[in-house]
Amino acid sequence: MGLLLTACASLAAWLWLTLAQGMFWRTDVRLPPRTAPAHWPSVAIVVPARDEAEVLPRSLPSLLAQDYPGEAEIVLVDDGSTDGTAATAARLAAECPGIPLTVVSPGEPPPGWTGKLWALRHGIAYARHAHAVEPDYLLLTDADIAHEPDSLRELVAAATSARLDLVSQMARLRVTGFWERLVVPAFVYFFAQLYPFRRINRPAARTAAAAGGCVLLRTAAAVRADVPDSIRQAVIDDVSLARAVQATGGRIWLGLAERVDSVRPYPGLGELWRMVSRSAYAQLRHQPLLLAGTVAGLVLVYLVPPAALVAGLAAGRPAVAWAGGAAWLLMAGTYLPMLRYYGQSAVLAPLLPFTALLYLLMTVDSAVQHYRGRGAAWKGRTYARPSDVRNS
């Protein structure tokens, strides 16, 4: 009876996720309808970069070549790089003349700041105060993100047409090798399950999230929300940014990108593991009870269906097998649109339980590394949880 109840609970969870979780599985949330504004607002593109000399040649030229009718400039913030990031950026700007580029350096972040947010603070401050008139919008984009030539124009048109304070697109991550094919589409699928795009985009939404690789932010909204200062300790800075803007009355929008791509390679499982585990426990606010609940939830939702199907068939218990199989079918069916978005084979859909197991292990590893003093580590920096900073 216990196995049947567990299988039925998993099936009920999938019915609820499929029908009542903001249609998270759909991948048609793209930039809202838009028209060109009568006057194109000014934009400052702020790019935090730490040891990014290898990827900049594949990303920075796309920003320099933006076909934007209004005033625009690029501020690349060299965040303590040791690989010649600043020199690479200057060389690319000389080779690919276009939107003006300025390289600045903020120095090491003070206690209580993450490196990226400290870099963003410096870049935003420079953009706002370097000229007589501050820019109308800020495009916050990572150093590994490549934009099609009309990306900025389309983002600004969407923001002005829909009167949005924040427009964010989840860049299409690279999917080439075996592990990227297995893990990357699931990463975006799980994110959308936690933060359903349609729910976020409602005018009176309570759910807030953004994708840090591509965020167009109205400067007035940034000032009103006091960002990034108000979120300076956030490891998951994009979600925190969206929440701060929304909490101060700003309208936000999040969707999948069509013309914005990440060029960063994740050729092996190790690189993908570090990408997820560095912030997974921070997402759970470093709470052991939330970790236990997350592990239990992942087991019930993703691991029980195939286990129930196999156990039910082996034990001659058709009800158990039926419940497990139906839940697994719903799981695979809701995953198919994301696989199509990434141009991947439907054969990967039934493997989602295995990928979920990997994410479960990554999350547990994130907690283990945190308690060993190596949590939230990225590019040579390890960040304490906010309570530790306040109590130091």
Side-chain angles (χ1 to χ4, degrees), residues 157-200:
T160 55
S161 298
R163 300 180 183 274
L164 296 166
D165 294 287
L166 183 154
V167 178
S168 180
Q169 290 184 292
M170 178 160 284
R172 199 188 304 254
L173 304 176
R174 198 188 87 145
V175 177
T176 303
F178 170 78
W179 289 109
E180 289 174 333
R181 296 175 191 275
L182 189 68
V183 174
V184 166
F187 175 82
V188 183
Y189 174 87
F190 293 146
F191 184 90
Q193 193 176 82
L194 285 173
Y195 304 104
F197 297 164
R198 279 178 169 76
R199 191 169 292 171
I200 289 169

Side-chain angles (χ1 to χ4, degrees), residues 93-107:
E95 295 174 351
C96 311
I99 294 180
L101 169 74
T102 301
V103 178
V104 297
S105 180

Side-chain angles (χ1 to χ4, degrees), residues 55-93:
V55 300
L56 280 179
R58 288 172 282 162
S59 60
L60 186 57
S62 73
L63 290 175
L64 295 165
Q66 283 299 297
D67 178 19
Y68 185 66
E71 293 184 12
E73 68 170 331
I74 302 170
V75 181
L76 187 138
V77 187
D78 179 22
D79 180 18
S81 300
T82 59
D83 67 344
T85 289
T88 300
R91 174 178 60 80
L92 291 169

Side-chain angles (χ1 to χ4, degrees), residues 206-283:
R206 292 185 177 182
T207 305
C214 178
V215 177
L216 182 73
L217 177 63
R218 193 187 302 271
T219 304
V223 173
R224 188 170 63 241
D226 191 27
V227 294
D229 295 58
S230 62
I231 59 169
R232 59 187 177 274
Q233 299 175 24
V235 174
I236 308 174
D237 50 84
D238 43 13
V239 174
S240 298
L241 171 63
R243 287 173 177 166
V245 171
Q246 185 189 72
T248 51
R251 284 198 59 196
I252 66 175
W253 185 95
L254 171 63
L256 293 172
E258 294 178 311
R259 315 177 75 73
V260 180
D261 300 280
S262 172
V263 298
R264 188 180 303 282
Y266 293 97
L269 179 59
E271 292 89 349
L272 288 163
W273 192 289
R274 285 187 288 274
M275 178 190 75
V276 175
S277 66
R278 73 184 178 93
S279 60
Y281 198 41
Q283 178 73 45

